[in-house]
Amino acid sequence: MAVALKKERPKIIAVIPAYNEERHIGEVVRKTRLYVDQVFVIDDGSTDRTEEIARTAGATVIKHKENMGKGEAVNTAFNLAREIRPLIMVLLDGDNQHDPDEIPLLVNKLLDKKCDMVVGSRFMRQNEIPAYRMLGQHVLTLTTNLGSGIKLTDSQSGFRAFSLAAIDQMHFNESGLSVESEMQFIAGEKRLKVQEVPISTNYDDEVKRNPIVHGVGVLLRVISLSLQKNLVGGMLRGGGLN
């Protein structure tokens, strides 16, 4: 993947997966640039002005020709990071749900070298989260925790940071919105150390997709990931795989 970079290797990069986020992407990029060495936007086939606005705000944009799903956008982010080799990569959404001013909360945890992955948790701080969303998120988190063996309070948060060691381990099969759960499964399998920090969140905008359909879809994928993990683990323990 050919990407124009600064002459010096960025120590900290931020990558923002985005799909039709022209309303907020400029502000998110500008605020994020205050805390990292370089900002990338993975434009997942947007049909609006997301790419143009992100570039004007100072981001390097990698554009998918068509909408491939958040999982593929995140895969592109990690492939990019493995090429650049930063000290830390921050992931955050482009819809203004996350506050870039809180990036240091995540980055400082990694700089202390006490963990490999940091997850920003919406449930470790008092946030105004719609009740139906909170219930759905707790169900997904409980299911992901049970399947992955790692206990978090917010398995679906898109605000995360990764050390280079974690970046090298993250290869995803999920193309949709269950990619955050898959990160947790991989972290458990690779014995990566994961910590959480409290973050604020903004739910002022209307949701893009039906939250019930979305939640059920992610839940089914998480259950599938759990079954796959248990099946492979059982075969390995029983000598079924050579």
Side-chain angles (χ1 to χ4, degrees), residues 132-195:
Y132 68 91
R133 283 199 176 207
M134 187 174 295
L135 175 60
Q137 295 294 332
H138 285 327
V139 170
L140 292 173
T141 292
L142 175 61
T143 309
T144 303
N145 288 352
L146 290 172
S148 67
I150 292 179
K151 185 177 181 181
L152 298 179
T153 64
D154 191 356
S155 70
Q156 304 306 301
S157 173
F159 197 4
R160 298 168 177 240
F162 305 83
S163 69
L164 185 56
I167 290 168
D168 284 336
Q169 298 289 350
M170 293 286 168
H171 300 268
F172 309 106
N173 294 317
E174 296 300 303
S175 60
L177 290 162
S178 55
V179 65
E180 281 88 3
S181 290
E182 190 176 8
M183 291 179 190
Q184 198 167 321
F185 277 82
I186 294 171
E189 292 169 3
K190 302 298 183 181
R191 299 184 182 277
L192 300 175
K193 295 180 180 178
V194 184
Q195 292 187 9

Side-chain angles (χ1 to χ4, degrees), residues 89-135:
M89 177 177 71
V90 178
L91 276 183
L92 69 159
D93 294 339
D95 59 1
N96 201 38
Q97 182 182 140
H98 307 132
D99 183 358
D101 288 337
E102 295 178 338
I103 287 174
L105 295 176
L106 285 73
V107 168
N108 288 339
K109 281 281 187 182
L110 292 175
L111 292 176
D112 289 340
K113 299 186 183 301
K114 293 182 179 179
C115 59
D116 304 295
M117 181 171 95
V118 181
V119 177
S121 173
R122 295 163 287 183
F123 303 112
M124 293 175 67
R125 176 180 294 176
Q126 188 68 35
N127 282 303
E128 293 185 6
I129 302 174
Y132 68 91
R133 283 199 176 207
M134 187 174 295
L135 175 60

